[in-house]
Amino acid sequence: MKSKRDLPAVLAGLHLATGSSGLFFDFDSNQDYADATQVIAFAGSGGLGLPDRDFYTKDDDKSKELRARYAAHVGRMFELLGDRPDAARREAGKVMEIESALAGASLTRTQRRDPYKLFHKMDAGGLKALTPGFDWDVYLKTAGLSRLNAFNVTEPEFYKELDRQWRSLGLADIKTYLRWHAAHATAPFLSSAFVNENFDFFGRTLYGVPELRPRWKRCVALVDAQLGEALGEEFVSRAFSPELKQKILHMTKQIEQAMRDELVDLEWMSAATKQKALEKLRAIVNKIGYPDKWRDYGPVDVRRDDFAGNVARAGLFESRRRLAKIGKPLDRGEWSMTPPTVNAYYNAHMNDINFAAGVLQPPLYDPKMDDAPNYGNTGGTIGHELTHGFDDEGRHFDAQGNLKDWWTEKDARAFNDRAQCIVDQYAQYTIVDDIKINSRLTEGEDIADLGGLVLAWMAWKAETAGAKPESRDGFTPEQRFFVGYAQWACENHRPEDLRARALTDAHSPGKYRVNGLVVNMPEFEQAFSCKAGQPMVRENRCRVW
Ligand SMILES: [Zn+2]
């Protein structure tokens, strides 16, 4: 960069190359909230090195200490880039200043759960007016995106702060900031000194991880991250049979039927809203295991002797692939999770639920086991994703995935009252030390957990109607349904990890996703013959769906 006028072109190049949202802002494609058939450009907040804006704004001693250690890490990275210690320290201070200003202008994760707060569609003129000092034409042209005229600027206030920053920062400071983020985004793929320094802060200090994972595990994870559907095709051929896909589809249909039955009988919802909810339920698309059409990685040049180059080329391919969706017809078959992933998701814009083949493996779904644990576990997951379409966030989108209010005012109030019961319940649980669950952040997941297992129970009862499942291993079928559910939460966290997640994770810790859920189900109380007054019996049970 010779002058600040070079920033838009340099930034577009760095965004393409790194795919990182850490360089001043995030620029990506997504469905138009108002018209889900269209893909438009999304200009979002970003620009941070720490995982959330709260890391910069919280004022307690632990947060201050973590910021000091982060600044020391940024300084050491500048030294690895060749700067002298005193210069590196000054540069780290400047990075902290810029990131703190951007963090202060960003919405919190809890605020971001409200899609209305994130939808500000504007034309190119509107975007330019927010940041008059930044040449968007050059930025877009360099990113390969000429003639765009529809943008969702998710957080306009953030862009006003960006403009203030760009005006007040000198050329040298901007270069310092960009050097840090370019190094940060690539550190895991550079020489050992960078890999180890990066791990020392982002692994050991931030999450309490005692040692770097072995090289082969990092390599497998990287292939999954960058060429996930190529890996997934092989994974599916070995670990996901057509029979298994059929069985899961069967389970999904039963769970949808359970949701339909629930909706029809629901006391707190008016007929008008029920009709819309049923319409949305009917429209949900079930994607199971893997995509129908595999992604073509043909243009990615993979060379045996060029690791960092491979990472960069695969990153560039992914950045271009995402941006190329802007202005094109929506591909409803696309997945945003790779097949080997041990997870599932609901997408409110697509109105689809997606179960990666990786989450349909033992000990979660086990074809050698009987229905009780399989419905408890996988049924619970299916029900969880389905319920996301009707949680505090998903309920704002209609059957086609448009942001549209289909609730009567009275029904919305009734929903909020029921959700509040869960918010109040989870707010009492301690994550670590003096940190309680931020249950406004975890509200959607907690609602989905409860709704999901209630539906799974109904589906299991429908599947086994007329049959007489037997006890095994000293547990009744009903007990094994709950034991099966809890299997996914066999996990252990270090205190540092719990602290970081308290700020970033929309899920409650696994312990409460099991114990906090089952105390709301009378079926659990019966299955384990719990008595009133015992810890696993809650007097005022919550129930949304
Ligand atoms: Zn979820």
Side-chain angles (χ1 to χ4, degrees), residues 166-326:
W166 285 332
R167 279 171 197 283
S168 63
L169 290 170
L171 175 65
D173 294 340
I174 289 178
K175 285 167 115 168
T176 295
Y177 173 85
L178 294 179
R179 281 177 76 223
W180 148 245
H181 275 287
H184 173 54
T186 46
F189 321 116
L190 300 178
S191 58
S192 299
F194 282 95
V195 172
N196 293 334
E197 177 54 42
N198 182 63
F199 171 75
D200 190 57
F201 180 77
F202 283 97
R204 198 171 282 131
T205 301
L206 191 54
Y207 294 110
V209 186
E211 61 183 64
L212 189 63
R213 282 188 296 170
R215 185 187 297 263
W216 74 267
K217 286 195 178 178
R218 284 179 278 143
C219 287
V220 170
L222 186 62
V223 174
D224 184 43
Q226 295 209 298
L227 306 170
E229 290 194 11
L231 180 69
E233 201 172 348
E234 186 62 28
F235 177 77
V236 163
S237 78
R238 297 189 199 186
F240 195 71
S241 67
E243 298 79 56
L244 181 52
K245 183 162 175 159
Q246 276 316 307
K247 176 69 196 173
I248 304 297
L249 198 58
H250 171 71
M251 227 187 222
T252 308
K253 296 215 165 104
Q254 286 174 319
I255 284 173
E256 285 177 342
Q257 184 58 47
M259 181 86 182
R260 233 178 325 269
D261 295 345
E262 275 290 281
L263 270 172
V264 169
D265 291 340
L266 211 56
E267 282 165 16
W268 56 266
M269 192 182 256
S270 70
T273 308
K274 266 186 197 177
Q275 200 192 331
K276 296 280 184 195
L278 287 165
E279 195 183 306
K280 177 164 181 172
L281 180 62
R282 264 196 304 275
I284 291 179
V285 174
N286 302 310
K287 286 148 81 176
I288 293 169
Y290 55 92
D292 291 337
K293 192 171 167 290
W294 294 106
R295 191 167 298 162
D296 176 14
Y297 295 98
V300 183
D301 180 16
V302 181
R303 298 178 202 160
R304 281 194 174 276
D305 59 351
D306 185 16
F307 173 61
N310 289 338
V311 174
R313 284 187 291 275
L316 191 60
F317 169 82
E318 175 63 9
S319 298
R320 290 209 169 114
R321 187 190 71 80
R322 297 178 72 92
L323 293 179
K325 294 193 277 183
I326 298 171

Side-chain angles (χ1 to χ4, degrees), residues 344 384-385 388 444-445 448-449 507 513:
H384 172 103
E385 302 310 338
H388 270 317
E445 296 297 338
D449 281 339
H507 304 83
R513 293 187 65 187

Side-chain angles (χ1 to χ4, degrees), residues 6-278:
D6 296 335
L7 177 63
V10 169
L11 198 50
L14 286 170
H15 279 167
L16 280 177
T18 63
S20 167
S21 62
L23 293 127
F24 282 125
F25 60 88
D26 183 52
F27 198 85
D28 203 352
S29 58
N30 200 354
Q31 284 163 264
D32 185 345
Y33 285 11
D35 177 2
T37 64
Q38 301 297 312
V39 179
I40 61 170
F42 270 53
S45 60
L48 310 180
L50 288 166
D52 189 87
R53 49 94 67 200
D54 284 359
F55 285 91
Y56 298 86
T57 56
K58 281 173 64 96
D59 222 22
D60 58 287
D61 289 345
K62 287 248 184 207
S63 300
K64 284 184 196 159
E65 185 198 328
L66 193 66
R67 278 201 291 279
R69 295 179 74 171
Y70 172 62
H73 161 69
V74 176
R76 283 193 297 274
M77 288 286 280
F78 278 116
E79 286 186 54
L80 288 177
L81 290 172
D83 299 353
R84 297 160 61 98
D86 53 336
R89 211 173 314 119
R90 265 200 317 278
E91 290 165 331
K94 186 45 81 176
V95 167
M96 278 307 276
E97 253 177 66
I98 300 172
E99 291 187 357
S100 300
L102 297 180
S106 304
L107 294 181
T108 66
R109 266 175 213 253
T110 307
Q111 289 169 327
R112 292 169 60 85
R113 292 193 57 72
D114 177 356
Y116 289 99
K117 286 199 168 74
L118 295 178
F119 187 49
H120 308 278
K121 195 176 168 185
M122 53 187 79
D123 61 14
L127 177 62
K128 288 172 187 174
L130 280 173
T131 55
F134 187 79
D135 193 337
W136 281 99
D137 291 332
V138 172
Y139 176 87
L140 294 170
K141 189 160 177 271
T142 315
L145 296 165
S146 298
R147 293 186 303 279
L148 286 194
N149 204 26
F151 302 85
N152 178 23
V153 179
T154 58
E155 298 178 37
E157 288 308 314
F158 174 85
Y159 278 80
K160 288 181 194 162
E161 178 59 33
L162 257 187
D163 195 59
R164 273 192 291 277
Q165 290 293 319
W166 285 332
R167 279 171 197 283
S168 63
L169 290 170
L171 175 65
D173 294 340
I174 289 178
K175 285 167 115 168
T176 295
Y177 173 85
L178 294 179
R179 281 177 76 223
W180 148 245
H181 275 287
H184 173 54
T186 46
F189 321 116
L190 300 178
S191 58
S192 299
F194 282 95
V195 172
N196 293 334
E197 177 54 42
N198 182 63
F199 171 75
D200 190 57
F201 180 77
F202 283 97
R204 198 171 282 131
T205 301
L206 191 54
Y207 294 110
V209 186
E211 61 183 64
L212 189 63
R213 282 188 296 170
R215 185 187 297 263
W216 74 267
K217 286 195 178 178
R218 284 179 278 143
C219 287
V220 170
L222 186 62
V223 174
D224 184 43
Q226 295 209 298
L227 306 170
E229 290 194 11
L231 180 69
E233 201 172 348
E234 186 62 28
F235 177 77
V236 163
S237 78
R238 297 189 199 186
F240 195 71
S241 67
E243 298 79 56
L244 181 52
K245 183 162 175 159
Q246 276 316 307
K247 176 69 196 173
I248 304 297
L249 198 58
H250 171 71
M251 227 187 222
T252 308
K253 296 215 165 104
Q254 286 174 319
I255 284 173
E256 285 177 342
Q257 184 58 47
M259 181 86 182
R260 233 178 325 269
D261 295 345
E262 275 290 281
L263 270 172
V264 169
D265 291 340
L266 211 56
E267 282 165 16
W268 56 266
M269 192 182 256
S270 70
T273 308
K274 266 186 197 177
Q275 200 192 331
K276 296 280 184 195
L278 287 165

Side-chain angles (χ1 to χ4, degrees), residues 479-491:
Q479 290 173 338
R480 292 175 66 251
F481 173 91
F482 289 107
V483 173
Y485 169 73
Q487 291 310 297
W488 71 261
C490 296
E491 58 187 28

